[in-house]
Amino acid sequence: MARLAVRFCVCFTVAFLFLTLTPFAAWIIGRLCGPITKPDGDILIVLTADAQPDGIVGHASYPRAFAAVKAWQTGHFRAVVVSGGYMDNNRRSLSSIMAEYMIGSGIPRDHVFLEERSISTRENALLTKQIIASWPGKRVLLTSDLHMYRALRTFEKVGLSAAPRPVPEVTARWNRPFDRLPYVASVLTELLKIVYYRAHGWIAL
């Protein structure tokens, strides 16, 4: 077991250095993100990420929440569905924390709907489908650029197709040397999650 752990650490380190020092990571990020587009629609699905201990929108969730507000202001959406159920220290869901920011930024409260039980991307898709499967109109999925590949295909796998609206979080900062290192770890983690989801048949090919 110890030898296996050592091998894993060595492989992870080699992959980390390779992605940090070569252009390959930028290519992977581009593949995971796809084109940075801003499709309009009727139903905007926003996936949560994190929250601060004091119940404020987290560092990873904020760009998504901000982008959702801009999408509402510039588009013609009739509903915003915020999906995510991790709880903070105040026992509030991530979706309620993000929704509070969105409502405070101008999205009418009666147009915001919460999915507060999911704890994974797959559950985001399954539980959001339970809410909006019968709603008419074009669906748009909003999440971070690095997460878009897996999220979009997970939603497609459960029969909930949507147009991608990635938030350029990693792509916007990749060329900044001091920002690159932590994002390399995020790229590796996301690739492992994609492998895991494919192994379980949870994403559309």
Side-chain angles (χ1 to χ4, degrees):
M1 189 67 180
R3 184 176 297 178
L4 183 63
V6 170
R7 288 179 178 175
F8 176 81
C9 290
V10 170
C11 291
F12 188 90
T13 301
V14 171
F16 184 89
L17 292 173
F18 177 75
L19 291 174
T20 303
L21 301 174
T22 71
F24 189 64
W27 179 82
I28 292 177
I29 294 168
R31 293 282 293 177
L32 295 179
C33 173
I36 299 293
T37 57
K38 297 182 179 181
D40 197 2
D42 301 287
I43 304 165
L44 182 65
I45 305 167
V46 184
L47 304 188
T48 64
D50 62 352
Q52 302 284 358
D54 54 3
I56 297 175
V57 177
H59 176 75
S61 290
Y62 177 77
R64 305 182 190 189
F66 181 83
V69 172
K70 296 299 291 184
W72 177 269
Q73 292 173 342
T74 59
H76 300 85
F77 292 99
R78 295 182 286 104
V80 177
V81 180
V82 191
S83 177
Y86 285 109
M87 311 301 284
D88 68 4
N89 292 337
N90 296 319
R91 306 305 297 168
R92 295 171 60 213
S93 66
L94 287 180
S95 54
S96 68
I97 293 170
M98 284 184 68
E100 184 178 272
Y101 170 87
M102 295 177 195
I103 293 167
S105 299
I107 301 179
R109 185 179 298 273
D110 58 348
H111 290 269
V112 179
F113 302 84
L114 305 184
E115 181 288 295
E116 300 183 273
R117 294 183 292 151
S118 60
I119 58 172
S120 68
T121 302
R122 183 167 187 263
E123 290 185 2
N124 287 147
L126 290 169
L127 296 175
T128 299
K129 183 181 179 180
Q130 291 180 9
I131 298 173
I132 70 170
S134 62
W135 295 5
K138 180 181 177 180
R139 308 179 190 99
V140 175
L141 180 63
L142 188 151
T143 188
S144 68
D145 46 9
L146 198 62
H147 186 218
M148 183 55 75
Y149 178 94
R150 180 164 56 97
L152 189 66
R153 285 158 179 79
T154 301
F155 273 72
E156 289 175 354
K157 186 67 175 182
V158 303
L160 201 63
S161 59
R165 187 168 177 138
V167 179
E169 182 181 356
V170 179
T171 51
R173 294 180 172 87
W174 183 253
N175 291 326
R176 302 176 185 175
F178 292 106
D179 290 338
R180 182 175 298 183
L181 289 177
Y183 284 126
V184 169
S186 297
V187 171
L188 287 172
T189 300
E190 183 60 28
L191 291 175
L192 289 174
K193 289 179 179 179
I194 291 171
V195 170
Y196 183 82
Y197 269 54
R198 282 199 170 179
H200 286 77
W202 292 345
I203 60 176
L205 300 178

